[in-house]
Amino acid sequence: MKVQVLGCSGGIGVGEFTTCVRINEDILLDAGTGLGCLTQSELTQLRHVFISHSHLDHVCLLPMLIDNQFELLKSPINVYGVSQVLESLHQHIFNWKIWPDFTQLPSVDAPVMAFTTLNSKESFKLGDLSFTPFDVEHVVPTTGYAVVSEGGRLFVFTSDTTLNEGLIKTLNQMGPIHSLMIECAMPNRMQDLAIASKHMTPTMLNELLICLEAMPERILVSHIKPYYVDEVEAELMSLNLNAELIVLSSGQFFFL
Ligand SMILES: [Zn+2]
Ligand SMILES: [Zn+2]
């Protein structure tokens, strides 16, 4: 399984793109501004989009993707998420005001976009891969995704989350994690804001990792607010983790 990080930043700016991860050629986790890095032929290959939550930095290019493919599609692009997330997209974006309701175009019987509701902790098979949404604590209903590769390795994408007992328990129940892509939006001095906005700091990430029964082989840190990258990176490096820690940047890819 190829995991390509198209966007992993907590904001925009030169060389910074928001959350979007491509799995192999045809699957996305979230559809932030990183999606705009793909070529037309790469966009054309996309068939499945798993959405973690309705925040704009994670969904802003989904409407553009469907629009881009409108003339080309012979079958719908499948958009997956738990019910509250899909309802928010339908109500607040694909509502004919912000953007057309592509679940009804060009016709209700043969639309260009189809929503598939997933249930938390129930795995969804896509070819040789499986995708399992799991609840995390953020300011809106949010799920991460546990993705099992063709070879049985586990890639976990937490999306936006804060630290709580539930996250520790959920990650421990998954068994050995090969690669954990987790957010760390703010530096330690902003812990109060991180807690209020339900994000993570390096200290909170460390507290989480200490509580894991098995350390993931790789910790892939994402969603740092652009203004704080140097500060967060320095705090992360001082943690001395017993794992490979990579502060992600757009364009990086991994094989699992
Ligand atoms: Zn968010
Ligand atoms: Zn976000």
Side-chain angles (χ1 to χ4, degrees), residues 158-223:
T158 67
S159 191
D160 293 5
T161 184
T162 194
L163 176 62
N164 68 8
E165 287 299 319
L167 182 62
I168 295 166
K169 196 172 157 203
T170 300
L171 295 180
N172 275 330
Q173 282 170 346
M174 288 179 187
I177 298 170
H178 183 275
S179 298
L180 174 66
M181 179 171 168
I182 187 159
E183 71 130 288
C184 198
M186 293 168 208
N188 290 330
R189 66 184 166 82
M190 298 176 75
Q191 179 138 334
D192 289 349
L193 181 61
I195 289 168
S197 59
K198 310 247 179 194
H199 282 293
M200 300 277 283
T201 64
T203 294
M204 292 161 81
L205 175 59
N206 195 36
E207 283 170 28
L208 169 74
L209 295 173
I210 285 168
C211 294
L212 294 187
E213 285 156 16
M215 182 66 91
E217 280 185 39
R218 275 192 208 129
I219 314 289
L220 306 171
V221 179
S222 70
H223 212 285

Side-chain angles (χ1 to χ4, degrees), residues 53-203:
H53 67 302
S54 56
H55 278 164
L56 266 187
D57 56 325
H58 297 251
V59 303
C60 58
L61 289 197
L62 178 63
M64 302 292 168
L65 171 67
I66 310 295
D67 184 62
N68 173 275
Q69 299 292 302
F70 191 81
E71 310 291 338
L72 310 168
L73 285 173
K74 302 217 167 23
S75 60
I77 288 186
N78 299 293
V79 178
Y80 308 88
V82 293
S83 59
Q84 297 113 309
V85 172
L86 296 185
E87 276 161 24
S88 282
L89 293 181
H90 219 156
Q91 238 185 323
H92 300 295
I93 296 179
F94 296 101
N95 58 6
W96 298 105
K97 293 183 181 124
I98 300 296
W99 210 244
D101 180 0
F102 280 124
T103 63
Q104 298 184 26
L105 291 174
S107 70
V108 177
D109 297 333
V112 286
M113 178 178 75
F115 285 147
T116 299
T117 303
L118 304 180
N119 294 315
S120 182
K121 297 204 169 174
E122 281 181 22
S123 62
F124 181 85
K125 276 274 203 192
L126 212 48
D128 293 333
L129 308 179
S130 89
F131 295 78
T132 309
F134 59 93
D135 295 327
V136 295
E137 186 184 352
H138 190 42
V139 287
V140 291
T142 302
T143 66
Y145 285 93
V147 186
V148 180
S149 73
E150 302 91 337
R153 283 177 157 177
L154 182 57
F155 169 67
V156 175
F157 165 72
T158 67
S159 191
D160 293 5
T161 184
T162 194
L163 176 62
N164 68 8
E165 287 299 319
L167 182 62
I168 295 166
K169 196 172 157 203
T170 300
L171 295 180
N172 275 330
Q173 282 170 346
M174 288 179 187
I177 298 170
H178 183 275
S179 298
L180 174 66
M181 179 171 168
I182 187 159
E183 71 130 288
C184 198
M186 293 168 208
N188 290 330
R189 66 184 166 82
M190 298 176 75
Q191 179 138 334
D192 289 349
L193 181 61
I195 289 168
S197 59
K198 310 247 179 194
H199 282 293
M200 300 277 283
T201 64
T203 294

Side-chain angles (χ1 to χ4, degrees), residues 2 7 105 161 175 187 194 232-233:
K2 182 178 177 182
L105 291 174
T161 184
V232 171
E233 216 171 314

